[in-house]
Amino acid sequence: MIQRGVAGAAALALTPGLVRALAPATASGRTRTPLHADRPYLVTAMQAARWLERTAQRRGAEISWAADPDRPAEVQYDLYNGTTGVLPFWVELYAATNEPRALEFVQGSADHLVRAVEMVDKKDAGLYTGLAGVGFALGLAYRVTRDDAHREGARRALTLVQDGVRRTEDASKPPRARWADSTDIISGAAGTGLWLLWAERELGAANTLELARQAGWALMDDAQSVAPGQLRWKVNATIAREYPNFSHGTAGVSFFLARLYQATREPAFLEAARAGASYLQAIATTIANDGRMVYHSTPGNEQIFYMSWCHGPAGTARLFRTLGAITREESYARYVDQLAAATMAMKVPERSPGFWNNVSMCCGNSGVSEFFVARHTMMPDAMALTYAERMAQDTIARATSDNDGMRWVQAENRVSPEAVVAQTGLMQGAAGVGLAMLHLDGAINRRRRAVVLPDDPFA
């Protein structure tokens, strides 16, 4: 566990300006959170915020970011590593600190996205790649800003998603809804469907639940039967390789179908989700301490194991957590424990197979931290919190910190470890690392999260 004291804070090299920015004060009736030496994760998030502020691009009141600040012309609008994914960090930071500067960045980046929604590829309804992500970020911003333009921007994204749907009509079957050919959480129908469920709850939008239902039926058509009671999904029909875990495969699609069952109570969706879980259990590897983990991909990568959100236990656990909540069957809750046991048995964050120079939400430390913070808040479990702090300690140790703040120079892809860069975004950059730090600080200080992504079942 990281030491929460003067030594731990000193290692973060706080600047006088940063200390002044977080000094106790009142603004518009809201009280700022004081900066204490025993809040190392809040301090780390503020240092990440400092770097994000330094790398921000301004156009009047609008604010945006390039994923790589050294390539400023390449501003993107995806939730994965674009401006869209930086915005949630500022929302959480404002919730944690009541700092007006954070609210300024929520407002400015949302103002930019309202205009940028028209620039997003209308064919891309993806949660982490396209319009669904933009709609989520704008809806999240509206909760904080109460700016009608932000709510209307979110609704505009929804309209574009609805307009872009491709339906298959058959009088003998429920209608099917598709956008791109992908099935997955990142860019496909599973991720878009999760956002539609979110929009139905958060925006009060009409017909979104029905559209999510139609996406679910299309995904059921895409399922491949492997054995009795077992289903799997590939990214799409043109990709031969199968990625069974959360971001691109069976775990993510099954998770959406389980959430869809929660919203519709249609048994077929739950049956398919359970069949996906059975398939994952059938192909899982058993390791020390009765741990379970599912390989990265097949064919050829059956001995490569990732450990975080995208292809590892931290992501796949979301399916089993949800099935356990729905069915109340102890076996599903037990499987979440086994996925956690595998993560610890693989000695994350030490260097191990499938875990490389990466600390981010998608592939590295931060995604693992989020999983164990969630375990702590569900139980509560002091051991899980200690393990999340171990992730954070390692992440802080790997940071580059100077007068510009804190960032993480890392490799995004395992197959090109020499390609290292400090990115700004949610799933591969400082915004995501900062968000994980804020969630950890919140767990320690009993503060509810402000940011819950559409694919997160733990809140």
Side-chain angles (χ1 to χ4, degrees):
M1 181 181 290
I2 192 169
Q3 294 294 316
R4 296 197 199 105
V6 175
L12 300 175
L14 292 176
T15 65
L18 181 60
V19 173
R20 286 195 300 272
L22 278 179
T26 59
S28 303
R30 297 175 65 97
T31 302
R32 297 183 194 171
T33 297
L35 179 63
H36 296 297
D38 63 350
R39 300 281 293 276
Y41 312 121
L42 177 61
V43 171
T44 300
M46 288 302 303
Q47 288 282 53
R50 182 179 179 88
W51 185 69
L52 289 169
E53 182 173 352
R54 294 294 182 91
T55 57
Q57 300 184 38
R58 295 179 179 270
R59 176 179 173 178
E62 297 180 17
I63 304 173
S64 62
W65 286 267
D68 178 354
D70 291 335
R71 305 171 74 172
E74 298 179 10
V75 173
Q76 297 171 286
Y77 302 111
D78 56 277
L79 187 63
Y80 191 88
N81 57 15
T83 296
T84 304
V86 180
L87 188 155
F89 165 72
W90 294 104
V91 170
E92 191 71 48
L93 186 63
Y94 181 61
T97 65
N98 295 324
E99 170 57 43
R101 191 70 166 165
L103 180 59
E104 176 188 332
F105 278 86
V106 175
Q107 181 77 42
S109 53
D111 287 349
H112 183 71
L113 289 178
V114 167
R115 187 169 60 86
V117 71
E118 303 298 340
M119 305 179 206
V120 178
D121 184 351
K122 302 305 182 287
K123 296 179 181 179
D124 189 346
L127 176 57
Y128 282 94
T129 60
L131 288 163
V134 176
F136 166 72
L138 285 169
L140 196 64
Y142 174 71
R143 287 188 198 165
V144 176
T145 65
R146 310 313 290 180
D147 187 328
D148 288 341
H150 300 159
R151 179 180 58 186
E152 293 310 308
R155 288 180 176 274
R156 175 58 179 161
L158 178 58
T159 296
L160 292 170
V161 169
Q162 291 169 328
D163 290 347
V165 70
R166 295 185 284 116
R167 283 188 175 84
T168 302
E169 301 288 350
D170 183 334
S172 65
K173 299 178 181 178
R176 270 64 168 156
R178 301 179 186 274
W179 292 270
D181 292 330
S182 299
T183 63
D184 66 358
I185 292 287
I186 294 283
S187 63
T192 304
L194 287 170
W195 176 66
L196 290 170
L197 296 177
W198 184 91
E200 194 265 340
R201 295 191 308 270
E202 301 294 331
L203 302 178
N207 301 319
T208 52
L209 181 57
E210 174 58 24
L211 189 54
R213 179 175 172 273
Q214 293 173 12
W217 282 111
L219 286 168
M220 301 267 279
D221 290 344
D222 294 333
Q224 298 178 352
S225 178
V226 182
Q230 295 182 18
L231 295 176
R232 70 176 182 181
W233 284 263
K234 292 187 176 181
V235 179
N236 63 48
T238 66
I239 297 178
R241 180 165 295 278
E242 178 198 357
Y243 303 88
N245 286 287
F246 193 75
S247 64
H248 290 304
T250 297
V253 175
S254 298
F255 171 72
F256 164 60
L257 293 174
R259 294 298 290 265
L260 188 57
Y261 168 77
Q262 288 179 307
T264 65
R265 294 296 164 180
E266 293 194 32
F269 297 135
L270 178 58
E271 181 181 349
R274 290 168 69 104
S278 294
Y279 169 66
L280 292 167
Q281 290 173 308
I283 65 171
T285 295
T286 300
I287 63 170
N289 302 323
D290 201 30
R292 299 289 191 278
M293 56 187 186
V294 178
Y295 53 72
H296 174 267
S297 60
T298 189
N301 287 340
E302 294 85 357
Q303 297 304 312
I304 293 177
F305 297 92
Y306 287 24
M307 304 309 297
S308 194
W309 174 89
C310 56
H311 300 292
T316 296
R318 297 182 172 207
L319 167 62
F320 290 92
R321 155 67 177 170
T322 302
L323 288 174
I326 292 170
T327 66
R328 303 297 181 187
E329 293 179 16
E330 179 61 28
S331 61
Y332 289 125
R334 171 63 182 151
Y335 211 78
V336 176
D337 294 341
Q338 291 175 296
L339 291 164
T343 307
M344 293 185 286
M346 290 293 283
K347 299 183 179 180
V348 178
E350 296 176 19
R351 297 300 176 92
S352 58
F355 202 82
W356 65 99
N357 179 24
N358 189 285
V359 299
S360 287
M361 282 281 208
C362 181
C363 313
N365 287 16
S366 296
V368 175
S369 173
E370 289 281 87
F371 175 37
F372 281 87
V373 166
R375 286 180 63 75
H376 169 70
T377 56
M378 285 187 301
M379 296 186 187
D381 180 351
M383 183 180 294
L385 187 62
T386 299
Y387 197 75
E389 291 201 71
R390 181 180 170 190
M391 298 301 109
Q393 182 178 15
D394 183 75
T395 300
I396 292 168
R398 295 192 195 192
T400 298
S401 184
D402 54 29
N403 287 337
D404 287 332
M406 188 174 281
R407 64 274 192 195
W408 288 265
V409 181
Q410 61 176 8
E412 180 173 342
N413 296 302
R414 171 184 56 84
V415 295
S416 51
E418 73 289 345
V420 294
V421 64
Q423 296 190 63
T424 61
L426 179 65
M427 300 305 284
Q428 291 289 355
V433 175
L435 185 62
M437 292 287 175
L438 290 170
H439 286 166
L440 177 54
D441 176 78
I444 292 168
N445 293 283
R446 300 182 181 179
R447 183 184 70 248
R448 289 180 62 86
R449 287 187 285 168
V451 174
V452 179
L453 292 161
D455 59 70
D456 187 342
F458 295 113

